[in-house]
Amino acid sequence: MSFDPLQAWRLDEEPYYAPQAEELAAFEAAHALRLPVLLKGPTGCGKTRFVEHMAWRLNKPLVTVACHDDLSASDLVGRWLLDAQGTRWQDGPLTQAARYGALCYLDEVVEARADTTVVLHPLTDARRILPLTSCNELLHAHPDFQLVVSYNPGYQGMHKTLKPSTRQRFVGLEFSYPGAGQEAAIVAHEGLVDASLARQLVAVAEQTRRLKEHGLTEGASTRMLIHAASLTRHGLSPRVACLQAITCPLSDDPDLATALAAAVDASFAH
Amino acid sequence: MSFDPLQAWRLDEEPYYAPQAEELAAFEAAHALRLPVLLKGPTGCGKTRFVEHMAWRLNKPLVTVACHDDLSASDLVGRWLLDAQGTRWQDGPLTQAARYGALCYLDEVVEARADTTVVLHPLTDARRILPLTSCNELLHAHPDFQLVVSYNPGYQGMHKTLKPSTRQRFVGLEFSYPGAGQEAAIVAHEGLVDASLARQLVAVAEQTRRLKEHGLTEGASTRMLIHAASLTRHGLSPRVACLQAITCPLSDDPDLATALAAAVDASFAH
Amino acid sequence: MSFDPLQAWRLDEEPYYAPQAEELAAFEAAHALRLPVLLKGPTGCGKTRFVEHMAWRLNKPLVTVACHDDLSASDLVGRWLLDAQGTRWQDGPLTQAARYGALCYLDEVVEARADTTVVLHPLTDARRILPLTSCNELLHAHPDFQLVVSYNPGYQGMHKTLKPSTRQRFVGLEFSYPGAGQEAAIVAHEGLVDASLARQLVAVAEQTRRLKEHGLTEGASTRMLIHAASLTRHGLSPRVACLQAITCPLSDDPDLATALAAAVDASFAH
Amino acid sequence: MSFDPLQAWRLDEEPYYAPQAEELAAFEAAHALRLPVLLKGPTGCGKTRFVEHMAWRLNKPLVTVACHDDLSASDLVGRWLLDAQGTRWQDGPLTQAARYGALCYLDEVVEARADTTVVLHPLTDARRILPLTSCNELLHAHPDFQLVVSYNPGYQGMHKTLKPSTRQRFVGLEFSYPGAGQEAAIVAHEGLVDASLARQLVAVAEQTRRLKEHGLTEGASTRMLIHAASLTRHGLSPRVACLQAITCPLSDDPDLATALAAAVDASFAH
Amino acid sequence: MSFDPLQAWRLDEEPYYAPQAEELAAFEAAHALRLPVLLKGPTGCGKTRFVEHMAWRLNKPLVTVACHDDLSASDLVGRWLLDAQGTRWQDGPLTQAARYGALCYLDEVVEARADTTVVLHPLTDARRILPLTSCNELLHAHPDFQLVVSYNPGYQGMHKTLKPSTRQRFVGLEFSYPGAGQEAAIVAHEGLVDASLARQLVAVAEQTRRLKEHGLTEGASTRMLIHAASLTRHGLSPRVACLQAITCPLSDDPDLATALAAAVDASFAH
Amino acid sequence: MSFDPLQAWRLDEEPYYAPQAEELAAFEAAHALRLPVLLKGPTGCGKTRFVEHMAWRLNKPLVTVACHDDLSASDLVGRWLLDAQGTRWQDGPLTQAARYGALCYLDEVVEARADTTVVLHPLTDARRILPLTSCNELLHAHPDFQLVVSYNPGYQGMHKTLKPSTRQRFVGLEFSYPGAGQEAAIVAHEGLVDASLARQLVAVAEQTRRLKEHGLTEGASTRMLIHAASLTRHGLSPRVACLQAITCPLSDDPDLATALAAAVDASFAH
């Protein structure tokens, strides 16, 4: 077998993912058409894990980029680098994915600068091209290439948004936290704790999510519950583990901290 | 036949385009005079496809640039690059188009920085020149060169605009969504679905476009209908395909999402 | 005859220009004293053409720079460039004009950055010098050098202005649209149409200029009328040509668009 | 023993640290899971010292980065440097810590730019990877690597904050000033003064901390008390030492300065 | 005689200057002490000419820098340049003046960036040093070096100002327009017109200066009167010359333009 | 004796300084502990002179940096420079001071950018280290190194401030203008005038300082009085010298200028 430039981006093991609804079939239909996909949902509800799982199911490498305010088009596309061997062109992660045929996942895409999202346009319509103006190449995307982006409308919507000419190129999938039973199963599986403790942790999370109406930016994610579960396996009581993994990171506001601590106390006696 | 530096920008097949009115004749008159053309219209109504179609009809290469906030004059005009062979001058896409005689299409031109639009001025009046100050050349445009720009007045007009001294150099063509019958024909042709489903999808789109009065930034484009149509060919029901291709990408607002879902439900029973 | 570094900037043919008033004598008096000249007037009323005409009359090369937000002092003055032969100093357009004796025309000068206008100061008083600090040269302007700048007070005055210490270095000439008869003659001459159509087009323009009181940024320029006239020679009706060359570029506002269309309809029956 | 690239970051002596509560066990549980840790607490209460102490207890090198407004992702991750031997890649402190297995401590993390915190994301979830795009390497973190960040919610919370998708990756530990008896013991130990003077200094600090309700940004830290104690060993009276080490640095406001001086006078007669 | 690095900055002829009061003696006293001097006054009242005159009287070279928003410390101090001979250090104009002993005149100093004014501090107190950190040199100013700065408090004071720690290093001289008789003598001398026309022009200027109370940013400067006078020698009537040299440059406001034209008409019959 | 890299920063003569209170002992106590020192006080009251005096008393070189808005961390710490010999690392002034053991004085430290103050943190606590990330060195400060910073709370406090985590690392000394008798002695000594004139000048200064309540940013500094005194030795009357050295630089406001002139007239008859 020949050299695989995307080897580092392949997934060796099946990432654990518990399907919530029809999202597997929906993604596969979009993938069959190579339509770009937009994932919406709150922090830590499993969007990244879902993309990893789909990449594994479809047996495709997965190139992931965490977007931010300073992410520029050339961070995605590539640049001429001055290194020890002199100057050489270096494909950016988007170019690598388009050239060799990977899923390319842009996490929190609304955080990126405008030039970054516009560079996606010719890749996400019928043309499927990426003009590399700096090295004078018009790259036609590999047949396997597919773009996936995500964002959290509850948080990001306050600050930034995608412009319509970008949004309308994507098909969308909406995510939320799993149902209580399923979430407890995930926490038990990933946190290596018994079902009873997992259910108690999910009950804490549900209380924190209700605090969004009282000013909390985001409720506890499934990831936080797994953290709390794991800490109990290293000698912390469930209550202390929750304060450490959930209450303390979630908010700096004294009133919200008190409400969060009360949610913990309601589940776990001292 | 000699080397063609614009080969990569030529169109091999006729791009599908269903004329709406006199726009073909209007563009050809402007092209005969090589007057720069300004296309106005909403997202996804077919402006880019129209320019591709005209380039094919006129048998001209088409150099396309998606404009954005950080697009600078030298991104269009060119720069000295440090590459593996040392420094060399690299024409930007506008310079290539002007030097070798292409249509140059600047998509969403109002997004570009001011220096980018001003660099167009001497190319868009009787002089038809492009001063390449960095490599000391005063380029006279090729007789075949013509500039085309586009923007969406409904969306962009809120933020940015072209200044009068730029606008007045262009002749303008106004685009909107095609009529219902024609749009259904396009959706059937491009989405490979039957006429009846295409008409139902157009009915959904028309409902979403009426939501602009209720705060929706843009209604569903023809492109979105083609996406929805295509998804039904991969196992999704029309209703699920619409939610995924239309409702979810169009808005993050819960009230608008409900209204969009109702528009889908009105066309497609559960 | 020896090499002429300004050859590319010479005008081969007399640029067509119809004098409006005493502006030829006024410019010649300022030129005799080499006083810098400031041209004020609306978009497309003929300022650039006037400068071209004067350069031709005075038999001087004309170096033109379109100013914009990102135009820096070194864009005008010059810089060290890294090119295929190594580093070399490259005079900017202002330096070329000052070194070899050209008219230097800065179009829309109020758009330039502050450092750009201040660099003009020692060139525009009795010293007539340009310090090239980067290459350690104090350039004394060629006796033929003269600076001309322009701007549109109706539009630019809302945003930016020249500071008094810059303005007071210039003598000023004020431009407006030519009288109706003269404008019709220009349109007929440049658009290659008969006098009757030219007069109708001027009547349309006059109506649009009255719309400035109703919110239109700028009325139709003479250039737009020439565009419309030319389009009629390529198969468009005068009405369609006006909508395309005048109405559509002038405004995105629906109410103004209706008023502009009415102005066209008043001149041209369906 | 082989070359240790983190040698400079190892601690030779046990850093003095007086535990306040369960924080040692809590940190050790998080360390066992290599979960990233977030320390919250006021200026000078001992967060940095605690991390140094834990690094010493766990026998790990400690790479510390003081964050600020201009700290960019490449400051943490690394860059190509042009030095006397030509170009070479230089790991940033975060990369060094992840490559060779250190605790990496980002002090005042909320001060850093957004791109800096987002670069932490793939290092702080199950992937534990750091993409070094500039040198084309996907670094898998060393098993010993653990990330620790800190901030002061009382001060920073007014200006900046971590976004939820960052916060939820961390487990948190909350710090405050030690109790009076313990703080006096620390001041006596570190300032080399007797217990009685140490208690008087703590009494001054407690008064200043109450002034937070009257507009003082931060009360006196334990560090300031140690400064004051040390100055008395070099000939200053306790009162003068307090004015110099506590009152003068704490505030520029005349009213607060008077109140602070009164707090000093209450403890130390003239 | 040896090479003089400041040769280009020496004045060959006595610059014409008509003293207004004690400013010659005042400047000479400050020069004897090498105290830095601050000149305040309106645009075009003769500050630059005064400094040129003093440089000629004191037989010192005069290095002049026009300050602006983008003037950085290294523009004044110097930088390493990459030129055709490789890299070399290039003294900026301030460093040249300090190293070889010139008057250094910073025109419109309040326009410069903060780092530019702070770099002046060690040069303008008893130390008289200029640290050239980039080339590792601590330059002690030449005994002949003296710094002069100017600004226009009427105009600049609205936007920017010098900070007290900068101002207090200077001794100040205040300038205003010369008295009517003296100004007419200057206009006659410099504009090469007779005394009667010169007096009429001064009368126009005085009217325009009164318009400052009605919103005019600055009244006509002596320089403008000289322009108007000169234009009459090239065939323009005094009235037309005034409109061109004074009215048109002074304001874009229609009401002020009318008032300015009336001031001209009051002096010169049609 | 070996090469001394700080030779240029040593003081050859004792800088004149008249102690006001216990500041010499206070500084010496802080120096004995190498605690960083913060000097607060108005413009021109002698802070810089005090630091010079202490450096001379302690026989330490003094590296001074005037801080400003654009002062970056690498301006203090150092950078790789491209010079005539190729690339080489150049220590910044802070690094030089820390490496070879100098007092490092950052004048007007609140003006510096945030990254500049944060770089001071590891140098100003028990660690006394300076990480030079660009050249991969962890510099341990020389035992003689001590940091001193200053600012003017009356002026700077309005705009910027040090954050608590920076302030609390310093011990503070507060400065104000000397008492009238002492100030007159300083003016007589430095300005080389007799005691009677010196007392009159101090009376003027005291009047101007009272004008702070009426909107004057800063009253006259001792430095200004010395300027005025010196000018009288070069032929100016005391009144003219005061107007030039005090009134004119202090304010551009006409009302304040009148009040300042009255203060001068009160001391010196015409």
Side-chain angles (χ1 to χ4, degrees), chain C residues 26 29 32-33 35 40 80 87 115 118 121 127 133-134 136 138 151 153 163-165 167-173, chain E residues 8-9 43 52 64 66-68 70 81 83-84 90 108 111 155 218-219 221 227 230 234 244 248-252:
Chain C
L33 294 156
L35 289 178
K40 297 201 255 183
W80 287 97
T87 53
D115 64 329
V118 165
H121 283 198
R127 295 174 285 168
T133 51
S134 294
N136 226 356
L138 191 72
Y151 70 101
K163 52 185 190 171
S165 63
R167 301 174 80 91
Q168 300 213 356
R169 293 158 185 279
F170 288 83
V171 299
L173 294 176
Chain E
W9 299 105
T43 295
E52 292 176 336
T64 299
C67 297
H68 53 78
D70 299 299
L81 278 187
D83 70 11
Q90 160 135 4
E108 304 198 37
E111 298 282 322
Y155 173 66
E218 285 275 315
S221 62
H227 284 176
S230 303
H234 286 82
Q244 195 167 324
C248 181
L250 270 187
S251 179
D252 300 333

Side-chain angles (χ1 to χ4, degrees), chain C residues 33-37 117-131 139-142 145-147 165-171, chain E residues 11 43-44 46-49 52 62 64-66 105 107-108 190 221 223-224 226-227:
Chain C
L33 294 156
R34 299 300 187 266
L35 289 178
V37 175
T117 48
V118 165
V119 96
L120 303 175
H121 283 198
L123 261 181
T124 50
D125 58 25
R127 295 174 285 168
R128 284 177 64 86
I129 56 171
L130 180 61
L139 176 69
H140 288 268
H142 188 283
F145 170 75
Q146 186 188 14
L147 187 70
S165 63
T166 304
R167 301 174 80 91
Q168 300 213 356
R169 293 158 185 279
F170 288 83
V171 299
Chain E
L11 296 120
T43 295
K47 300 186 298 292
T48 297
R49 186 62 66 87
E52 292 176 336
L62 173 67
T64 299
V65 179
Y105 176 47
D107 193 11
E108 304 198 37
E190 300 249 319
S221 62
R223 176 190 288 139
M224 286 181 139
I226 298 167
H227 284 176

Side-chain angles (χ1 to χ4, degrees), chain E residues 132-164:
Chain E
L132 306 177
T133 51
S134 294
C135 66
N136 226 357
E137 179 185 353
L138 192 71
L139 177 69
H140 288 268
H142 188 282
D144 285 354
F145 170 75
Q146 186 188 14
L147 187 69
V148 186
V149 304
S150 72
Y151 69 101
N152 175 350
Y155 173 66
Q156 311 293 5
M158 293 180 277
H159 305 285
K160 301 178 177 182
T161 188
L162 292 176
K163 52 184 190 172

Side-chain angles (χ1 to χ4, degrees), chain F residues 165-233:
Chain F
S165 62
T166 304
R167 301 174 80 93
Q168 300 212 356
R169 292 159 186 279
F170 289 83
V171 300
L173 293 176
E174 211 144 356
F175 283 75
S176 59
Y177 301 116
Q182 188 176 23
E183 190 166 27
I186 295 171
V187 171
H189 176 273
E190 300 249 320
L192 301 173
V193 294
D194 63 34
S196 146
L197 176 56
R199 276 194 302 269
Q200 283 175 293
L201 290 167
V202 168
V204 171
E206 286 176 336
Q207 294 243 39
T208 68
R209 290 165 193 166
R210 275 179 220 123
L211 286 171
K212 274 197 81 162
E213 288 155 30
H214 301 281
L216 189 64
T217 316
E218 285 275 316
S221 62
T222 313
R223 176 190 288 138
M224 287 180 139
L225 304 185
I226 297 168
H227 285 175
S230 303
L231 287 172
T232 64
R233 291 187 291 112

